[in-house]
Amino acid sequence: MSTGNSIPLPIIGSEIKTACGDADNFAVNTPRALHKDKWIFFCTPLCQQEFIQDPSSSCYASQIESEVE
């Protein structure tokens, strides 16, 4: 995973989908990580850390599986 400086972020206040599938509004401090050139947004910093440590056991794991299919 990289810092993603060249991948643009959403506009502040715009609706985003989080890794667990919830809808939220993007803010400067929204927890996020870059995965396969795509921003993944998280509800909490803990979920973000779990993803960074092991994407396959994070709340985003089911979406990763569907990307492979």
Side-chain angles (χ1 to χ4, degrees), residues 18-24 29-31 41-48 59:
T18 62
C20 62
D22 289 341
D24 201 353
N29 63 345
T30 298
F41 301 100
F42 302 92
C43 297
T44 68
L46 178 60
C47 292
Q48 175 192 32
C59 59

Side-chain angles (χ1 to χ4, degrees), residues 6-68:
S6 63
I7 308 291
L9 290 167
I11 296 170
I12 293 172
S14 63
E15 188 172 284
I16 56 171
K17 183 178 175 185
T18 62
C20 62
D22 289 341
D24 201 353
N25 291 323
F26 179 73
V28 173
N29 63 345
T30 298
R32 59 188 174 266
L34 196 62
H35 178 71
K36 297 184 180 181
D37 294 328
K38 177 181 172 185
W39 285 114
I40 309 302
F41 301 100
F42 302 92
C43 297
T44 68
L46 178 60
C47 292
Q48 175 192 32
Q49 287 302 318
E50 289 175 355
F51 176 83
I52 290 170
Q53 290 174 358
D54 185 8
S56 66
S57 65
S58 71
C59 59
Y60 190 65
S62 64
Q63 293 184 49
I64 293 172
E65 291 171 7
S66 65
E67 289 175 2
V68 174

